[in-house]
Amino acid sequence: MSITIAAFSGSLRKDSYNTKLIKAFEQLAPEGVTIETIDIGKLPLLNQDLETDLPQSVKDLHNSIDNADAILLATPEYNRSYSPILKNALDWGSRPQGQNRWNKKPAAVTGCTPSVLGTFGAQNHLRQVLTYLNMYTLQQPEFYLGSVADKFNDKGELTDEQTKKKIIQFWATFIEWINKIK
Amino acid sequence: MSITIAAFSGSLRKDSYNTKLIKAFEQLAPEGVTIETIDIGKLPLLNQDLETDLPQSVKDLHNSIDNADAILLATPEYNRSYSPILKNALDWGSRPQGQNRWNKKPAAVTGCTPSVLGTFGAQNHLRQVLTYLNMYTLQQPEFYLGSVADKFNDKGELTDEQTKKKIIQFWATFIEWINKIK
């Protein structure tokens, strides 16, 4: 088995917990799974005027999506919805019109937050966007992670055993899903 | 009566219909109402690391919100949700934590789109964000405008008489609402 997954963190903060969450997913990934974390912080704000001569960062994004077998998203929650950084990348990946690169990609949504709610609001909105983009999104298990300050150590490593177990179970179902779709 | 309204278009495209819609709102505004269209295209993508030394564009945004009596939003719909540009501005206006500039501002949501659905999906998500931000958002009338290509002329002017009438009625209710809140 060889599966390449393009992973996207919705936070640009250097010490972002969502970026750390992706790192934890990478460390707990089954053999044969490669995670490529895609830098979306250099994308310009969406502007259709730029489509006549697409910026290199957008072309790079398009290639990353094309080369991936599946997509893993980790979103913070800002003001009870998803991060604009992630939506900006999702929208650029669907442009120009008629060239939706996300189409039919297996995908999974995760997210974490210092508060207890665990990004339900963010993921709820995000899933509706993925529906429109026709991404084949894993339905269950959902993955909401709250109170992150207690679950990672100072080096940014996931230390919470229950969450580790949850990630390993998540991977098993996600890989099964990816193989079904392929 | 003297009311200053900060208006935000969620599209950066030079020929953006949402920007034209704000222009139409401006032209049909009651006497005493001043519209200031705020440029949000120069804001960086949200990044809490920048909060130690806030970029000038964010400070300008904060001042624009502080100086406004009310907020008018016009959102395009991308992939059945709001524009990342607008969410980026909304999130920056709520940062740093505990300094939510939008708090208790009277607000109204509008939006237009070439398709027939008229941005219902975008506004639906947006209204939930405004709820969290504690903006006093006008409930009714809602304002969804579809098929925009038929409603503006080549100069970008609103020509559709029914829509003009709708905007004038919208203003009457919105001004009443702003005065009630003040």
Side-chain angles (χ1 to χ4, degrees):
Chain A
M1 182 187 76
S2 168
I3 290 176
T4 300
I5 293 186
F8 298 83
S9 167
S11 168
L12 302 180
R13 199 163 67 88
K14 212 162 45 133
D15 283 332
S16 155
Y17 281 112
N18 277 282
T19 307
K20 289 172 188 168
L21 180 62
I22 286 177
K23 206 86 202 151
F25 265 86
E26 189 172 357
Q27 272 150 9
L28 297 167
E31 223 188 291
V33 170
T34 308
I35 305 266
E36 294 191 356
T37 302
I38 312 301
D39 179 13
I40 54 176
K42 290 190 183 67
L43 289 169
L45 283 169
L46 193 73
N47 185 341
Q48 286 165 43
D49 290 337
L50 303 178
E51 289 179 11
T52 46
D53 183 19
L54 275 187
Q56 190 58 43
S57 57
V58 177
K59 288 182 193 167
D60 290 345
L61 172 72
H62 288 175
N63 288 334
S64 302
I65 304 167
D66 288 348
N67 294 334
D69 295 307
I71 307 296
L72 178 68
L73 303 173
T75 183
E77 179 164 307
Y78 302 140
N79 298 313
R80 293 287 178 269
S81 187
Y82 52 69
S83 103
I85 298 119
L86 207 49
K87 178 61 157 37
N88 194 54
L90 286 165
D91 287 345
W92 270 125
S94 74
R95 301 295 312 177
Q97 190 156 24
Q99 295 178 44
N100 171 17
R101 307 290 176 132
W102 309 103
N103 189 38
K104 299 185 180 177
K105 290 276 175 191
V109 186
T110 68
C112 64
T113 179
S115 82
V116 294
L117 294 184
T119 72
F120 171 77
Q123 292 190 43
N124 185 31
H125 280 185
L126 201 55
R127 278 181 182 265
Q128 285 177 263
V129 173
L130 305 193
T131 297
Y132 188 73
L133 290 169
N134 200 30
M135 294 167 83
Y136 293 152
T137 309
L138 187 69
Q139 304 294 67
Q140 294 291 345
E142 296 161 286
F143 191 97
Y144 308 116
L145 184 62
S147 310
V148 282
D150 305 335
K151 287 164 185 159
F152 289 84
N153 67 16
D154 289 348
K155 291 182 212 147
E157 298 158 340
L158 181 68
T159 50
D160 184 64
E161 288 306 320
Q162 212 182 335
T163 305
K164 283 188 191 175
K165 209 172 130 187
K166 213 168 110 180
I167 291 177
I168 290 166
Q169 287 167 343
F170 191 96
W171 267 127
T173 320
F174 189 28
I175 295 298
E176 204 180 318
W177 176 243
I178 293 168
N179 284 326
K180 197 193 285 285
I181 299 293
K182 262 175 121 175
Chain B
M1 182 186 75
S2 168
I3 290 175
T4 300
I5 293 185
F8 298 83
S9 168
S11 166
L12 302 180
R13 200 163 65 89
K14 212 162 45 135
D15 283 333
S16 155
Y17 281 112
N18 277 283
T19 307
K20 289 172 188 170
L21 180 62
I22 286 177
K23 205 87 203 151
F25 265 86
E26 189 172 358
Q27 273 150 8
L28 297 167
E31 222 187 292
V33 171
T34 308
I35 306 267
E36 294 191 0
T37 302
I38 312 302
D39 179 11
I40 53 177
K42 289 190 184 68
L43 288 169
L45 282 170
L46 192 73
N47 184 342
Q48 286 164 43
D49 290 336
L50 303 178
E51 289 179 13
T52 46
D53 183 20
L54 276 186
Q56 189 57 43
S57 58
V58 176
K59 289 183 193 166
D60 290 345
L61 171 71
H62 288 175
N63 288 334
S64 301
I65 303 167
D66 288 349
N67 294 333
D69 297 306
I71 307 295
L72 178 67
L73 303 172
T75 183
E77 180 164 306
Y78 302 140
N79 298 313
R80 292 288 177 267
S81 187
Y82 52 69
S83 102
I85 299 120
L86 207 50
K87 179 60 158 38
N88 194 54
L90 286 165
D91 287 345
W92 270 124
S94 74
R95 301 295 312 177
Q97 191 156 23
Q99 295 179 42
N100 171 19
R101 308 290 177 133
W102 309 103
N103 189 38
K104 300 185 180 178
K105 289 278 175 186
V109 186
T110 67
C112 64
T113 181
S115 82
V116 293
L117 294 184
T119 71
F120 171 77
Q123 292 190 42
N124 185 32
H125 280 186
L126 201 54
R127 278 179 182 266
Q128 285 178 262
V129 173
L130 306 193
T131 296
Y132 187 74
L133 290 169
N134 200 30
M135 295 166 82
Y136 293 152
T137 309
L138 187 68
Q139 303 295 67
Q140 296 289 345
E142 297 161 285
F143 191 98
Y144 308 117
L145 184 62
S147 311
V148 281
D150 304 336
K151 287 164 185 159
F152 290 84
N153 66 17
D154 290 348
K155 291 181 212 150
E157 298 157 340
L158 181 68
T159 50
D160 184 64
E161 287 306 320
Q162 213 182 333
T163 306
K164 283 188 191 177
K165 209 171 130 187
K166 213 167 112 182
I167 290 176
I168 290 167
Q169 286 167 343
F170 190 96
W171 268 126
T173 320
F174 188 28
I175 296 298
E176 204 180 318
W177 176 242
I178 293 168
N179 285 326
K180 196 192 287 283
I181 300 292
K182 262 176 123 173

